[in-house]
């Protein structure tokens, strides 16, 4: 308050000036009329003379969550047989079982680039296409569904609960996606409800998908018609399809043409290869898996299933495959050279000038340091036979080749598959062991396929190494061979099946080649999805296939 006599500023509650003692008047803020100290309202206009209290600032309004329509794939899965299993087990054991199931589900979904939306009891809902979308989301969802169902089978067998199975339903279509949402409430709409209904009608251990999902994925996944089903809330019956297995890489690339037998009897070995690969990638450690077995037992098929699996993962993997030759000149490192050719896009018999340019470009793409590029490039060219000897000794070559693959591994997991290693030159075996030792702190996963002779050529192969795993493939048991034949040629007369299996002796390739021979000779034909003897056979197949 300002004194009208001396101009001194005084506290608002003072009645007289602190400097001159003059009575202080209160000036109306509206009409400027003087008022006595202590007056609450102006005597001239009635305006309040008390200090106004500033209203509290309203908190800024937050915009409500936005939603938009997106194409997504929704997966529902629940456990069949869990209720009966939990009745006979301790509560703590049941909790641990559920925790393990949830952890497995999260891991599988994450590996395929999906998002767990929520867990409901023993059920899980996952989404592909939100918050980020990929063009192969539907295929990733089906691959994850098949893996999830297989993982529950393995868990049930391990726990001595064969009745424990997963029912999986998948549907692709438009849904309302809440932007910025994480977890529960991210996706809503009829699509979600329908996917849940599809899961409810699936048989334990099976994966059912809607028609849109099947159309988007049939190039890479084999299906069988599961018929029409009346789903709760749907006016019309809905046609569903049962996913059987993955038969190609993304979008159907590398899909086998013609007859292909189902992959049976190797679930344990396949699961081990997957787990070891992921351990190598996640821990950043090199690992070698040596698969041995007689010709035709399924080594190459195991590697193809592994490649199809890796190709569907969300994380990029630097994939390489090379075959060792049993004859010819300059084949000492042929399997390794094939890998480098594939990485650089060099074809056999390509003009040296063009091939050298591709090698130079590939090295520049993956190796940042100029000195390293200068050192590695001529040694990779030497590996492909494009340059004369460019290194003083073998160790110098090994170091350069190793560095190339290490630089790839710095950007993501590296997978290397060597086929027919029993034909490999001793020098290539030396390099693989060298790579395993010197690059042990890099995510390099090496899978070698060979016949048992490899152990005669190199008795110490993998001996004493912690990052080495040996897998020996035995002939398939009779029940697995019967399953193979049922999937390969459904409807084939039982006596013909028995004759073929007797001759195959548990070797899948022998059974496959026998069936192909019968088809090529016109002794078998396929009618409405089932196989039968032709009139041309004249019954001869009943005695000698």
């Amino acid at each position: 308050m300002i004194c009208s006599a001396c101009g001194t500023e005084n506290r608002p509650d003072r009645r007289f000036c602190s400097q001159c003692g003059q009575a202080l008047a209160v000036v109306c803020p509206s009409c400027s009329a003087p008022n006595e100290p202590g007056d609450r309202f102006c005597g001239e206009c009635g305006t309040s003379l008390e200090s106004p209290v500033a209203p509290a600032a309203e908190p800024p309004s937050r915009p409500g969550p936005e939603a938009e329509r997106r194409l997504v794939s929704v997966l529902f899965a629940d456990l069949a047989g869990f209720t009966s299993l939990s009745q006979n087990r301790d509560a703590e054991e049941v909790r641990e079982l559920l925790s393990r199931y949830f952890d497995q589900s999260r891991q599988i979904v994450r590996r395929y680039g999906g998002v767990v939306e929520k867990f409901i009891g023993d059920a899980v809902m996952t989404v592909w296409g939100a918050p980020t979308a990929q063009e192969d989301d539907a295929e990733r969802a089906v691959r994850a569904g098949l893996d999830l169902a297989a993982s529950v089978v393995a868990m049930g067998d391990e726990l001595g609960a064969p009745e424990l199975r997963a029912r999986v339903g998948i549907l692709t279509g438009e849904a309302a996606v809440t932007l910025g949402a994480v977890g529960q409430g991210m996706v809503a709409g009829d699509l979600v409800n329908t996917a849940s209904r599809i899961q409810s009608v699936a048989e334990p251990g099976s994966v059912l998908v809607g028609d849109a999902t099947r159309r988007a994925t049939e190039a890479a996944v084999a299906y069988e018609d599961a018929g029409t089903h009346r789903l709760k809330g749907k006016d019309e019956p809905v046609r569903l399809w049962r996913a059987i297995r993955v038969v190609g890489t993304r979008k159907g690339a590398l899909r086998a043409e013609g007859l292909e037998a189902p992959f049976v009897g190797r679930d344990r070995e396949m699961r081990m290869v997957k787990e070891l690969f992921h351990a190598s990638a996640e821990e950043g450690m090199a690992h070698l898996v040596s698969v041995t077995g007689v010709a035709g037992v399924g080594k190459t098929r195991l590697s193809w299933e592994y490649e199809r699996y890796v190709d569907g993962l969300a994380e990029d993997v630097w994939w390489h495959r090379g075959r060792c030759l049993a004859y010819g000149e300059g084949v000492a490192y042929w399997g390794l050279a094939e890998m480098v050719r594939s990485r650089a896009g060099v074809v056999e018999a390509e003009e040296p000038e063009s091939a050298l340019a591709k090698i130079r470009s590939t090295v520049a793409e993956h190796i940042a340091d100029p000195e390293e590029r200068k050192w590695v490039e001529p040694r990779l060219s030497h590996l492909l036979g494009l340059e004369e000897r460019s290194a003083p000794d073998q160790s110098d070559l090994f170091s350069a080749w190793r560095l190339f693959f290490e630089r790839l591994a710095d950007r993501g997991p590296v997978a290397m598959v060597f086929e027919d290693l029993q034909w490999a030159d001793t020098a290539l075996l030396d390099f693989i062991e060298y790579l395993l030792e010197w690059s042990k702190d890099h995510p390099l996963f090496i899978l070698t396929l060979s016949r048992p002779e490899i152990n005669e050529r190199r008795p110490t192969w993998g001996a004493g190494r912690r990052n080495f795993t040996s897998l020996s493939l035995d002939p398939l048991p009779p029940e697995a061979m019967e399953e193979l034949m049922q999937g390969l040629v459904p409807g084939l007369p039982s006596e013909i099946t028995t004759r073929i299996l007797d001759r195959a002796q548990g070797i899948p390739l022998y059974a496959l080649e026998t069936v192909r021979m019968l088809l090529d000779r016109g002794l078998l034909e396929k009618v409405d999805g089932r196989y039968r003897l032709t009139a041309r056979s004249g019954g001869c197949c009943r005695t000698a296939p």
Side-chain angles (χ1 to χ4, degrees), residues 32-318:
S32 300
N35 293 269
E36 293 294 327
D39 291 349
R40 297 181 61 193
F41 295 93
C42 176
E44 292 294 330
C45 67
T47 300
S48 174
L49 300 177
E50 295 180 342
S51 299
V53 178
E58 296 184 3
S61 60
R62 295 183 179 180
E66 297 183 10
E68 67 178 24
R69 298 183 68 85
R70 285 190 183 179
L71 182 68
V72 299
S73 293
V74 176
L75 179 153
F76 267 92
D78 81 340
L79 293 178
F82 177 73
T83 302
S84 59
L85 177 67
S86 60
Q87 289 175 348
N88 302 319
R89 294 178 182 257
D90 179 75
E92 184 65 19
E93 186 179 357
V94 172
R95 187 191 66 80
E96 291 179 358
L97 188 153
L98 265 183
S99 296
R100 178 179 172 186
Y101 164 63
F102 291 155
D103 289 343
Q104 285 187 175
S105 300
R106 288 191 190 94
Q107 187 179 64
I108 290 172
V109 170
R110 175 181 57 81
R111 286 173 177 173
Y112 284 104
V115 177
V116 174
E117 216 256 13
K118 59 186 172 185
F119 290 106
I120 315 168
D122 62 356
V124 57
M125 173 187 167
T126 62
V127 181
W128 280 260
T132 58
Q134 304 290 335
E135 58 182 347
D136 59 345
D137 280 327
E139 185 179 318
R140 293 174 189 249
V142 178
R143 287 173 178 264
L146 290 168
D147 269 17
L148 183 58
S151 72
V152 174
V153 170
M155 185 169 65
D157 292 343
E158 180 183 331
L159 296 172
E163 73 280 3
L164 187 65
R165 295 291 185 267
R167 286 191 296 248
V168 182
I170 305 172
L171 191 60
T172 301
E174 285 193 343
V177 176
T178 301
L179 303 182
V182 177
Q184 190 165 342
M186 184 170 56
V187 179
D190 180 65
L191 181 81
V192 176
N193 298 328
T194 305
S196 176
R197 305 300 183 198
I198 292 174
Q199 170 264 312
S200 67
V201 300
E203 294 292 328
S206 68
V207 178
L208 291 186
V209 309
D211 201 49
T213 305
R214 195 259 319 171
R215 290 196 304 270
T217 62
E218 60 184 347
V221 181
Y223 291 96
E224 65 180 19
D225 192 346
T228 57
H229 297 260
R230 287 199 171 274
L231 304 180
K232 186 177 179 179
K234 292 294 180 181
D235 296 332
E236 299 294 332
V238 177
R239 179 170 292 280
L240 301 177
W241 304 84
R242 184 176 296 105
I244 305 302
R245 63 182 183 276
V246 176
V247 293
T249 52
R250 294 185 195 181
K251 301 180 182 180
L254 300 182
R255 178 167 181 164
E257 296 293 337
L259 206 61
E260 182 182 54
F263 185 66
V264 299
R266 304 293 187 203
D267 291 341
R268 183 187 66 84
E269 291 85 353
M270 188 68 214
R271 189 162 57 249
M272 183 178 294
V273 170
K274 290 179 181 179
E275 291 173 354
L276 291 171
F277 165 73
H278 285 295
S280 170
E282 293 164 8
E283 297 171 9
M285 304 292 288
H287 200 95
L288 169 62
V289 177
S290 174
V291 181
T292 58
V294 298
V297 79
K299 302 182 296 296
T300 300
R301 179 61 185 274
L302 180 70
S303 74
W304 281 111
E305 294 298 323
Y306 165 57
E307 180 174 0
R308 290 168 177 172
Y309 169 74
V310 166
D311 186 72
L313 298 176
E315 182 180 23
D316 289 331
V317 177
W318 300 100

Side-chain angles (χ1 to χ4, degrees), residues 488-522:
L488 180 66
V489 279
L492 190 69
S494 58
E495 59 268 34
I496 305 302
T497 299
T498 300
R499 293 285 295 173
I500 293 175
L501 294 182
D502 287 345
R503 293 184 61 177
Q505 292 294 301
I507 305 300
L509 183 62
Y510 295 171
L512 178 61
E513 291 302 321
T514 301
V515 171
R516 284 176 174 163
M517 177 193 69
L518 296 176
L519 289 168
D520 291 343
R521 294 181 179 179

Side-chain angles (χ1 to χ4, degrees), residues 319-323 333-348 350 355 358-363 366 376-386 397 400-402 404-405 408 415-418 428 431:
W319 179 266
H320 306 85
R321 179 187 288 270
R323 181 184 299 276
Y333 300 104
W334 190 267
L336 183 65
E338 278 196 336
M339 295 180 182
V340 175
R341 284 194 196 96
S342 175
R343 175 59 49 210
V346 176
V347 298
E348 285 191 53
E350 185 167 346
K358 290 181 178 179
I359 291 293
R360 187 176 307 112
S361 175
T362 300
V363 171
H366 300 294
V376 169
E377 182 184 326
R379 287 155 179 81
L380 285 183
S381 300
H382 174 71
L383 174 64
L384 272 57
L386 300 173
L397 288 172
W401 301 343
R402 168 181 60 84
F404 176 70
F405 287 102
L408 290 177
M416 306 172 73
V417 178
F418 290 92
L428 180 56
F431 173 74

